[in-house]
Amino acid sequence: MPDDRKADFETATDIHQAQSNLYRRLSANIYKTSVPNQYYHTHGSLDATPILNGLSLPGFLPEPLPSYHEICSIIQAETQKHTPQALDDLTVSLNQSGCIVYKPNDFLATPQGRALATEPLITCTALETTSPPAPFPEPEAPSSSKPTIPPSPSSSPHPHLLSGLKVLDLTRVIAGPSITRTLAEHGCSVIKVTSPYLPDVPYYQLDLNLGKHTVDLDLRRSCPTDRTKFESLLSTVDIVVDGYRTGAMERLGYGPKDLVERFKALGRMKGFVYVRENCFGFSGPMRERSGWQPIADAVSGLAWGHGAALGLDEPVLPPFPMSDYGTGEMGACAALAGLVKRAQEGGSWELGVSLTRWNLWVMGLGAYPEEVWGSLLERHRPWIGKWEVGHLSNFDVVSKAAIEGMRELEIREGYGKGRFFGENGERFMFEVQGEGFGEPGVVKSCRPVVRLSGVGSGWRGTTRPNGWDGAEWW
């Protein structure tokens, strides 16, 4: 029987048309300022109206919308009336996301850069030390009634090392959800909790909700019924992953120290792991500001580095959300580190990862030699020119230029030895019937990247939109 809940998921969580309206989408971009050769990355986050109004622009333009470059010109005409610092002051006053686009050394000279340079790649703090050691549950192998997705290549599937562990996913967009997607891949039961009144990016849910259950709960203090359901889930949780602005969960009464007191009052004797993911890190004056991957790329100097690599004297966002996924994998490692400490030492542990700190680590690994990058640049110049790649190129544009170039070069010169596109590339992918995404509802995703001898990987369930399931462990 068809599920009558199947709705247009593309609009269900894009509440403020942050993705579906090009004008509002381009509120997030790198723009010139009144200071020559200095740029600012405005960001409408998931509701562009505040920053657009702050720039004396309307929240919406009448249909039909102008072209991409016409919209950029409209917004840039306003940003060029202000210095980078004035735009940053505006951003802070509006409680929005945004940043000055620094060169790498310039960022390291700022108070935030100096703070992050001494911050560990993964922060780790004991929340309490009285809970006894909690060993890992006995690993469980998939069964015929609960097969993995994609199916195991072995006739006797190996156990998933994290089976039996419960994870509450309090995240949105990419970095946070990729932490929990990885934990689900290795056996964790993951429930993603979102608010029905907060927006999310719809199309990321296709892949990043894989292997999870999802539930909408309003955690505001004025909603006791939903808070009771959430607290029931909390009572047996092993890992909480928090991707919201620093302090958001504390204001709701569910920050890590709040949980210590809650579990103590309940007489719970098992510790827990609390993983935070944010943009700017956990020290320095910007630690409580909101931010997303492009903000981290812009503030850290990565965008200027990418622009220089393209032979341009301007910052350019890199193609693909690399720091999002990199920070996500680092966050999964942080969760594992917390579980090991809980098993060996007992107690409860708070760990933190951030997009900007990950960028500093990556840039600290060094750049490719000029002869290596120079060769790549010459081969990709046709697509850089075709797509007019520059500071006004958002992810949509830069990613299209990169993918089109890679695809054409693979055909033309065996770039990548024919491994990534066409029929050969299909071996890296699998298809699954997603729930709630309309017809035909087939989602294609990347297979598990790492295979370990004697260890299973893969997801215990298909993917679904936010808010699809009930508030109960599965």
Side-chain angles (χ1 to χ4, degrees):
M1 178 181 295
D3 193 321
D4 59 9
R5 293 182 299 161
K6 291 181 179 178
D8 184 0
F9 85 98
E10 293 184 16
T11 60
T13 55
D14 188 18
I15 297 171
H16 304 297
Q17 299 182 45
Q19 311 302 318
S20 56
N21 183 294
L22 181 61
Y23 169 61
R24 293 172 67 77
R25 184 169 174 77
L26 287 174
S27 66
N29 212 358
I30 294 176
Y31 291 109
K32 291 180 178 179
T33 68
S34 63
V35 181
N37 212 34
Q38 292 189 24
Y39 298 80
Y40 193 84
H41 196 311
T42 58
H43 204 295
S45 294
L46 298 174
D47 181 5
T49 297
I51 189 61
L52 290 171
N53 287 173
L55 293 170
S56 301
L57 292 168
F60 289 84
L61 289 180
E63 300 282 353
L65 291 177
S67 69
Y68 180 102
H69 287 290
E70 288 170 337
I71 292 173
C72 289
S73 295
I74 291 170
I75 298 175
Q76 187 161 260
E78 297 303 319
T79 62
Q80 285 188 279
K81 297 177 181 178
H82 306 278
T83 65
Q85 188 59 55
L87 288 168
D88 206 49
D89 292 342
L90 173 65
T91 292
V92 172
S93 72
L94 295 171
N95 205 27
Q96 290 290 98
S97 179
C99 68
I100 296 171
V101 186
Y102 289 108
K103 293 182 179 180
N105 288 336
D106 292 338
F107 174 66
L108 291 175
T110 67
Q112 189 62 35
R114 291 194 296 270
L116 270 186
T118 60
E119 186 172 289
L121 189 59
I122 298 175
T123 63
C124 181
T125 305
L127 291 166
E128 55 87 10
T129 57
T130 58
S131 298
F136 282 76
E138 190 67 27
E140 180 182 318
S143 64
S144 57
S145 61
K146 291 184 178 180
T148 58
I149 299 172
S152 170
S154 171
S155 57
S156 300
H158 297 297
H160 285 52
L161 291 184
L162 302 183
S163 58
L165 293 168
K166 297 177 179 178
V167 179
L168 279 177
D169 176 353
L170 311 178
T171 70
R172 293 181 292 173
V173 192
I174 299 178
S178 68
I179 296 174
T180 51
R181 182 188 189 276
T182 298
L183 295 176
E185 178 185 338
H186 294 282
C188 289
S189 295
V190 178
I191 297 180
K192 181 182 180 184
V193 179
T194 48
S195 167
Y197 303 107
L198 290 179
D200 198 357
V201 180
Y203 38 83
Y204 295 145
Q205 297 167 36
L206 289 162
D207 177 58
L208 291 171
N209 285 355
L210 186 64
K212 308 175 185 180
H213 277 197
T214 64
V215 59
D216 274 345
L217 294 174
D218 189 338
L219 301 184
R220 291 177 294 183
R221 296 180 189 273
S222 58
C223 303
T225 300
D226 278 6
R227 286 174 65 89
T228 298
K229 292 177 181 179
F230 181 68
E231 289 164 10
S232 176
L233 295 173
L234 271 177
S235 64
T236 57
V237 75
D238 294 288
I239 305 170
V240 176
V241 182
D242 173 6
Y244 287 88
R245 187 194 302 244
T246 301
M249 296 311 297
E250 283 82 352
R251 288 189 288 275
L252 293 170
Y254 299 125
K257 294 180 180 178
D258 300 312
L259 299 189
V260 170
E261 295 304 314
R262 174 178 295 277
F263 294 154
K264 181 179 178 181
L266 291 173
R268 170 174 155 151
M269 295 302 295
K270 184 171 73 170
F272 65 96
V273 175
Y274 197 102
V275 179
R276 290 188 187 270
E277 173 273 318
N278 74 8
C279 182
F280 294 108
F282 305 94
S283 57
M286 300 177 74
R287 65 186 181 277
E288 294 188 2
R289 287 176 58 168
S290 67
W292 311 92
Q293 147 141 19
I295 297 301
D297 294 346
V299 78
S300 65
L302 190 67
W304 267 107
H306 183 228
L310 297 180
L312 304 171
D313 185 25
E314 56 186 312
V316 181
L317 291 173
F320 322 124
M322 292 176 287
S323 62
D324 262 332
Y325 283 103
T327 302
E329 294 310 299
M330 189 166 65
C333 292
L336 291 174
L339 289 171
V340 170
K341 293 186 78 67
R342 186 181 74 158
Q344 294 178 342
E345 303 175 31
S348 297
W349 299 88
E350 178 181 351
L351 302 102
V353 295
S354 76
L355 297 160
T356 305
R357 184 64 184 87
W358 189 87
N359 277 345
L360 294 184
W361 172 70
V362 167
M363 290 189 290
L365 298 176
Y368 281 110
E370 186 174 346
E371 61 271 18
V372 173
W373 184 254
S375 172
L376 286 171
L377 175 58
E378 288 307 311
R379 290 150 74 190
H380 281 268
R381 278 195 190 279
W383 295 277
I384 296 171
K386 173 184 174 180
W387 289 94
E388 300 178 347
V389 173
H391 73 274
L392 293 175
S393 304
N394 69 0
F395 281 143
D396 302 341
V397 175
V398 181
S399 298
K400 287 176 183 175
I403 292 174
E404 188 174 296
M406 292 166 64
R407 191 185 300 272
E408 291 297 318
L409 286 169
E410 179 170 293
I411 295 171
R412 184 186 307 169
E413 57 184 59
Y415 180 68
K417 299 180 181 179
R419 292 181 296 174
F420 302 115
F421 296 101
E423 293 183 3
N424 286 335
E426 288 300 310
R427 69 185 188 279
F428 296 117
M429 310 299 291
F430 72 94
E431 291 184 350
V432 62
Q433 187 74 33
E435 296 187 47
F437 292 122
E439 298 299 334
V442 176
V443 176
K444 180 180 286 189
S445 188
C446 183
R447 290 180 177 276
V449 175
V450 176
R451 292 182 184 175
L452 300 175
S453 177
V455 176
S457 62
W459 295 271
R460 291 174 50 208
T462 183
T463 183
R464 63 251 285 135
N466 290 353
W468 189 252
D469 301 288
E472 56 187 6
W473 290 108
W474 57 293

